[in-house]
Amino acid sequence: MSELLRAPAEIMYAEELDWLESIDDNPKPFSWRLSPKMVRLFILGSERADGLDREISQKWFGDRSFVERSIVTLASDRGLLLIGDPGTGKSWLAELLSAAICRNSTLVVQGTAGTTEDHIKYSWNVSMVIAKGQSRESMIPSPIMTAMETGAIGRFEELTRSTSDVQDALISILSEKYISVPELESGSGDDNIVFAKPGFSIIATANSRDRGVNDLSSALKRRFNFVRIPVVTNKKSEAEIVRFRTEELLRRHAIELDVPPTLLDVLLQSFADLRASAAAAGSDDEKLESALSTAEQIGVLEDAVLHSNFFGEHALTARTLASSLVGSLTRREPEDLAILNKYLHGVVEPRSKEEGGAWPEFLEGGRDAIATLS
């Protein structure tokens, strides 16, 4: 695990998964490695009432009903579509579900404008086809086909970014639960139909801001259960998410650096202020291009932590945090700089005079960062 830049959830939490599997005597659907109850416990963490001999860490922060509905969907024969704004944890939830259910979260297709049917069905090893002809041996199964053959969970990221042809091919897979391979002759010794084994399902994610890019057809929508993941607005929940991800970052980089709670509060309040400003804006020109998601908040803190570790005094400061916030959220110049400058003068400056604390240094660091980028 130490040799991986980012280990998938089934490797990162292998010890927990092994232990949960060893004590799990609840009914399991299909070939699931864990029962639905244990899948939920793995994702949301254990409580004292669970009566376990060890603590299971919470890995996804959100309403437990979203997790339960997702698990129930996967225990049926329907696909699961996680939809929401950027940075709401859709992909992370999909990864955790796959890791807990089949111990493999890496059977992933990334939806883009360049995604083709081959990416969700199969392609061919050209050199082997030339040498031996078309056969199952020379066929390259897609991650979705591999999930079908092994009774596992296949993942499709950013479904609405793929074209209608790809979406139509997915309808057939979700409906019929098999893929035909017409290039292989029936009765030639090579099975020309790949059937899905029990346990196969698809978890797709879609960005609600991509509406209109490649809208889902009503036929495809009928084959998915929708679970809408809302933006985290509760400060306590958001603080838990940011803290969890930051601790994970520090462990991965072997960094010993303290993140003062006061600075975490400054970061949370800053994003809350900017979101409120965006909600009140009359046009897109008055909004930051950033979605101001929890994921972007984590990115700001990650940038500040790494900068403090490598170029600072191994201590996170309000000045560094402000510089990282301006640098991370400025994507259009001069529009975003003007919005951030207005925020500093109209909100942060009065607050620094009234409350003091870390706000004056945060104000100064933000002004310096804007001056540098202007």
Side-chain angles (χ1 to χ4, degrees):
M1 178 176 166
S2 60
E3 297 178 356
L4 302 179
L5 180 61
R6 181 193 176 276
E10 61 269 20
I11 296 177
M12 192 184 309
Y13 301 108
E15 185 184 354
E16 278 191 5
L17 289 167
D18 288 340
W19 186 79
L20 288 172
E21 194 171 343
S22 71
I23 66 165
D24 191 2
D25 56 3
N26 297 300
K28 304 178 183 67
F30 311 118
S31 57
W32 285 26
R33 299 287 293 270
L34 293 177
S35 65
K37 183 178 179 181
M38 287 299 185
V39 173
R40 182 187 65 183
L41 193 148
F42 169 71
I43 295 172
L44 296 176
S46 60
E47 299 175 354
R48 186 172 299 178
D50 295 316
L52 299 181
D53 293 335
R54 60 173 287 179
E55 181 182 0
I56 301 299
S57 62
Q58 184 174 2
K59 302 163 191 69
W60 190 81
F61 297 83
D63 194 310
R64 67 189 301 117
S65 66
F66 300 143
V67 176
E68 291 174 353
R69 178 167 164 74
S70 298
I71 295 169
V72 169
T73 295
L74 294 172
S76 71
D77 61 351
R78 296 177 66 80
L80 170 65
L81 179 62
L82 302 174
I83 187 168
D85 282 355
T88 49
K90 303 182 296 296
S91 298
W92 179 232
L93 178 56
E95 181 176 339
L96 290 171
L97 286 165
S98 301
I101 290 171
C102 62
R103 297 293 285 267
N104 188 353
S105 65
T106 61
L107 300 173
V108 185
V109 173
Q110 182 65 49
T112 68
T115 303
T116 66
E117 281 191 50
D118 291 352
H119 292 112
I120 64 171
K121 288 186 173 180
Y122 58 89
S123 57
W124 298 97
N125 184 320
V126 177
S127 59
M128 288 187 67
V129 169
I130 294 173
K132 300 181 180 180
Q134 289 176 321
S135 65
R136 286 299 296 270
E137 186 182 7
S138 60
M139 189 172 69
I140 303 173
S142 70
I144 300 297
M145 180 181 277
T146 300
M148 295 176 70
E149 291 182 297
T150 58
I153 303 292
R155 294 170 52 202
F156 199 122
E157 291 290 313
E158 305 292 354
L159 179 58
T160 49
R161 289 193 173 275
S162 58
T163 62
S164 57
D165 291 344
V166 174
Q167 293 183 21
D168 289 344
L170 199 59
I171 292 175
S172 175
I173 293 173
L174 288 168
S175 299
E176 310 301 334
K177 300 296 192 293
Y178 67 77
I179 295 176
S180 297
V181 188
E183 294 90 341
L184 301 180
E185 294 182 12
S186 179
S188 64
D190 289 311
D191 190 356
N192 67 342
I193 298 180
V194 176
F195 291 96
K197 291 185 177 179
F200 165 71
S201 192
I202 291 178
I203 304 176
T205 64
N207 185 342
S208 55
R209 294 198 175 202
D210 285 342
R211 189 174 300 162
V213 176
N214 288 297
D215 289 334
L216 301 183
S217 67
S218 57
L220 186 55
K221 287 178 180 178
R222 286 198 303 270
R223 287 157 177 83
F224 279 111
N225 272 354
F226 282 53
V227 174
R228 297 188 178 275
I229 309 297
V231 174
V232 178
T233 55
N234 181 281
K235 279 191 178 182
K236 182 180 179 182
S237 298
E238 192 164 43
E240 289 175 337
I241 297 170
V242 175
R243 190 179 295 110
F244 171 77
R245 286 299 195 180
T246 304
E247 289 172 355
E248 192 177 72
L249 164 76
L250 295 174
R251 283 195 303 270
R252 189 166 72 242
H253 290 280
I255 294 174
E256 294 184 7
L257 187 146
D258 183 41
V259 178
T262 53
L263 292 186
L264 186 57
D265 290 341
V266 167
L267 178 64
L268 291 167
Q269 185 60 57
S270 296
F271 266 71
D273 294 337
L274 290 168
R275 287 169 185 160
S277 175
S283 67
D284 288 342
D285 290 339
E286 298 173 0
K287 301 178 185 178
L288 289 171
E289 191 172 274
S290 164
L292 297 170
S293 66
T294 304
E296 287 170 310
Q297 196 167 168
I298 293 167
V300 169
L301 187 56
E302 179 179 1
D303 181 85
V305 165
L306 292 175
H307 191 279
S308 299
N309 182 69
F310 295 126
F311 302 109
E313 299 178 356
H314 299 283
L316 183 63
T317 65
R319 175 184 288 275
T320 303
L321 185 64
S323 177
S324 295
L325 183 140
V326 171
S328 298
L329 299 186
T330 300
R331 298 174 185 178
R332 301 172 303 174
E333 293 184 20
E335 293 90 347
D336 285 349
L337 284 177
I339 293 169
L340 289 170
N341 190 51
K342 181 180 178 181
Y343 165 64
L344 289 176
H345 284 281
V347 178
V348 177
E349 186 173 355
R351 184 177 291 146
S352 66
K353 293 176 181 178
E354 294 173 8
E355 300 180 16
W359 287 105
E361 187 181 347
F362 182 81
L363 173 64
E364 187 177 346
R367 283 173 170 170
D368 289 346
I370 289 175
T372 300
L373 293 173
S374 298

